[in-house]
């Protein structure tokens, strides 16, 4: 059993699905958009184009729809598609509130249609390498994980520039980074949330944010995104009680982890003179007392997401991106907005 996919919103991500879904064996058969230029593009790529949504939803044999539109219309389009008998995958974020998501899930249960979200960055190499090092205990018990994405352009494009459409970095990039960490800590509660949202270039939406999460096991999660930062920090920086991990980039071309090497060499006898006086505690560690390790080799394949949907349709697999996981991410994001608005940390159980 294959999948015949229709795309609602043939813009940036819609086009991406049209180009890359066939690599997973998916047959892209139809597209709907309100922009005639995008529909012309779909036709040029061999996809049947529709100017009327109801006609699109009646396309013969189409069983799955991906919704790649501005965030504010995800709910109404998903509900309409499910009522037309289609399974649905929504682009991230699933929608703009937990209440909207609950309505979508209720419709999924009523119609018996699959409802999921395109959280494709669960398959990112950098995330999976970091997770492998941590879960294999290579750096001991983890005290802190820092996840960052920085850009330098400072510009938003189209609807992403407006709050009412669901623009801003929390919705655009935060949703990916929060999903990764909550996916990693599925059975661990977030107990405290503190956030700062800023507009560096005086835009209408957040173009910089910093979020600190505390887990009930004591681990700190630090998530930071900026669109106007000219000196990048590592993509991942993880401190454990037996070592430190650093991954510089998405492709894991630079990075590794370092652990102490227990020898007879004294560690604290080195003294460094600074303009403010001597320091021993922050002096460089002698090279013979530490050991550097390369990042593990790991291959990931995002097409697993589409293959999973085919398996779910056939009744052979469970969804990888489950509705309750999506709800947890949306709950966290609502709390992040609340923390920023009230300018305080919030005690929670998420």
């Amino acid at each position: 059993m294959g999948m015949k996919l229709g795309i609602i919103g043939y813009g940036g991500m819609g086009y991406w699905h049209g180009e890359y879904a066939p690599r997973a064996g998916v047959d892209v058969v139809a597209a709907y958009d309100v922009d005639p230029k995008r529909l012309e593009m779909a036709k040029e790529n061999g996809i049947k184009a529709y100017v009327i949504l109801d006609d699109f939803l009646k396309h013969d044999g189409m069983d799955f729809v991906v919704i790649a539109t501005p965030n504010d219309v995800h709910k109404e389009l998903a509900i309409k598609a499910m009522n037309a008998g289609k399974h649905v995958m929504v682009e991230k974020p699933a929608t703009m509130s937990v209440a909207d998501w609950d309505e979508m899930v209720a419709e999924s249960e009523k119609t018996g249609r699959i409802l999921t979200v395109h959280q494709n960055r669960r398959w990112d190499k950098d995330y999976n390498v970091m997770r492998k090092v941590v879960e294999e205990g290579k750096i001991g018990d983890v005290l802190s994980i820092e996840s960052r994405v920085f850009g330098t352009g400072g510009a938003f494009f189209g609807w992403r520039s407006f709050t009412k459409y669901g623009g801003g970095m929390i919705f655009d990039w935060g949703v990916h980074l929060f999903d990764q960490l909550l996916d990693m800590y599925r059975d661990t509660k977030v107990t405290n949330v503190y956030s700062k949202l800023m507009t560096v270039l005086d835009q209408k939406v957040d173009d910089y944010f910093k979020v600190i999460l505390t887990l009930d096991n004591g681990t700190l999660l630090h998530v930071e995104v900026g669109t106007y930062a000219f000196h990048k920090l590592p993509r991942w920086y993880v401190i454990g009680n037996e070592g430190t991990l650093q991954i510089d980039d998405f492709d894991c071309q630079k990075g590794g982890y370092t652990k102490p090497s227990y020898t007879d060499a004294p560690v604290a006898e080195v003294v460094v003179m600074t303009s403010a006086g001597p320091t021993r505690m922050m002096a460089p560690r002698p090279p013979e007392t530490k050991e550097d390790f390369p990042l593990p080799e790991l291959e990931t394949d995002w097409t697993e997401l589409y293959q999973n949907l085919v398996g779910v349709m056939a009744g052979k697999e469970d969804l990888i991106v489950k509705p309750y996981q999506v709800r947890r991410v949306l709950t966290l994001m609502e709390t992040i907005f609340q923390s920023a608005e009230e300018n305080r940390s919030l005690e929670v159980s998420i």
Side-chain angles (χ1 to χ4, degrees):
M1 178 182 179
M3 179 195 294
K4 292 188 181 299
L5 182 71
I7 301 170
I8 298 180
Y10 199 71
M13 282 307 302
Y15 177 85
W16 186 91
H17 284 284
E19 289 289 299
Y20 287 91
R23 299 185 184 185
V26 174
D27 188 10
V28 180
V29 297
Y32 163 75
D33 203 295
V34 296
D35 186 342
K37 293 181 181 178
R38 292 176 178 175
L39 293 180
E40 284 302 316
M41 190 186 306
K43 291 177 185 178
E44 292 171 3
N45 291 324
I47 300 171
K48 176 69 174 177
Y50 289 91
V51 297
I52 299 173
L53 179 60
D54 287 342
D55 291 344
F56 164 84
L57 291 173
K58 293 174 184 175
H59 183 93
D60 186 39
M62 182 177 70
D63 46 29
F64 225 109
V65 168
V66 62
I67 298 173
T69 63
N71 301 327
D72 63 314
V73 293
H74 284 180
K75 181 182 78 168
E76 63 182 86
L77 291 170
I79 288 175
K80 190 158 190 174
M82 288 186 285
N83 278 321
K86 312 305 178 188
H87 304 297
V88 172
M89 178 165 66
V90 185
E91 263 303 328
K92 56 76 200 170
T95 186
M96 292 169 60
S97 71
V98 174
D100 281 354
W101 180 246
D102 288 343
E103 286 186 49
M104 294 161 70
V105 171
E107 201 66 32
S108 169
E109 293 171 349
K110 185 175 78 173
T111 59
R113 299 296 88 188
I114 298 166
L115 176 63
T116 189
V117 177
H118 188 232
Q119 291 289 0
N120 53 305
R121 290 195 176 274
R122 291 193 190 184
W123 285 266
D124 279 6
K125 184 174 183 178
D126 58 287
Y127 162 62
N128 283 282
V129 168
M130 179 278 297
R131 184 169 176 173
K132 180 179 175 66
V133 171
V134 167
E135 293 184 345
E136 290 183 354
K138 300 295 187 183
I139 58 173
D141 295 332
V142 169
L143 308 177
S144 172
I145 299 178
E146 299 180 13
S147 169
R148 289 185 177 87
V149 174
F150 285 159
T152 60
F156 285 86
F157 301 96
W159 60 266
R160 289 177 175 82
S161 302
F162 300 94
T163 302
K164 66 179 180 179
Y165 300 129
M169 281 294 105
I170 289 289
F171 278 135
D172 195 61
W173 265 100
V175 64
H176 279 309
L177 307 185
F178 303 136
D179 179 74
Q180 287 177 337
L181 292 169
L182 294 188
D183 176 51
M184 181 174 174
Y185 287 102
R186 295 182 184 182
D187 301 318
T188 307
K189 294 287 189 182
V190 177
T191 59
N192 188 277
V193 175
Y194 179 73
S195 64
K196 280 285 188 181
L197 278 60
M198 301 181 187
T199 54
V200 177
L201 296 182
D202 194 28
Q203 301 183 93
K204 303 299 182 184
V205 292
D206 60 288
D207 57 11
Y208 175 80
F209 72 77
K210 183 175 289 190
V211 173
I212 308 293
L213 309 176
T214 305
L215 302 182
D216 64 7
N217 63 4
T219 301
L220 289 178
L221 307 180
H222 177 141
V223 182
E224 186 175 17
V225 171
T227 65
Y228 202 63
F230 291 89
H231 293 278
K232 291 187 177 181
L233 293 171
R235 171 69 186 90
W236 296 96
Y237 191 78
V238 185
I239 296 176
N241 66 353
E242 295 178 8
T244 305
L245 165 71
Q246 179 169 316
I247 301 176
D248 286 3
D249 49 23
F250 288 111
D251 295 328
C252 299
Q253 295 299 305
K254 295 178 64 178
Y257 62 98
T258 301
K259 302 180 67 168
S261 177
Y262 297 101
T263 70
D264 294 332
V267 174
E269 287 191 2
V270 177
V271 177
V272 172
M273 293 301 299
T274 72
S275 59
T279 178
R280 179 179 287 114
M281 183 60 67
M282 299 304 171
R285 191 180 183 100
E288 67 271 18
T289 69
K290 63 180 181 178
E291 187 173 2
D292 296 322
F293 297 87
L295 297 173
E297 292 295 327
L298 184 66
E299 294 300 323
T300 58
D301 185 359
W302 68 267
T303 62
E304 181 186 351
L305 185 151
Y306 270 114
Q307 293 162 3
N308 171 246
L309 297 182
V310 173
V312 174
M313 283 196 299
K316 297 178 180 179
E317 297 183 29
D318 293 330
L319 273 175
I320 292 178
V321 182
K322 298 175 173 59
Y324 79 86
Q325 296 171 338
V326 175
R327 191 181 196 278
R328 188 184 182 204
V329 172
L330 289 172
T331 300
L332 175 60
M333 291 199 300
E334 284 191 353
T335 307
I336 287 167
F337 283 119
Q338 180 186 351
S339 170
E341 183 177 352
E342 298 179 6
N343 193 28
R344 65 187 183 93
S345 63
L346 300 174
E347 299 295 327
V348 296
S349 179
I350 299 173

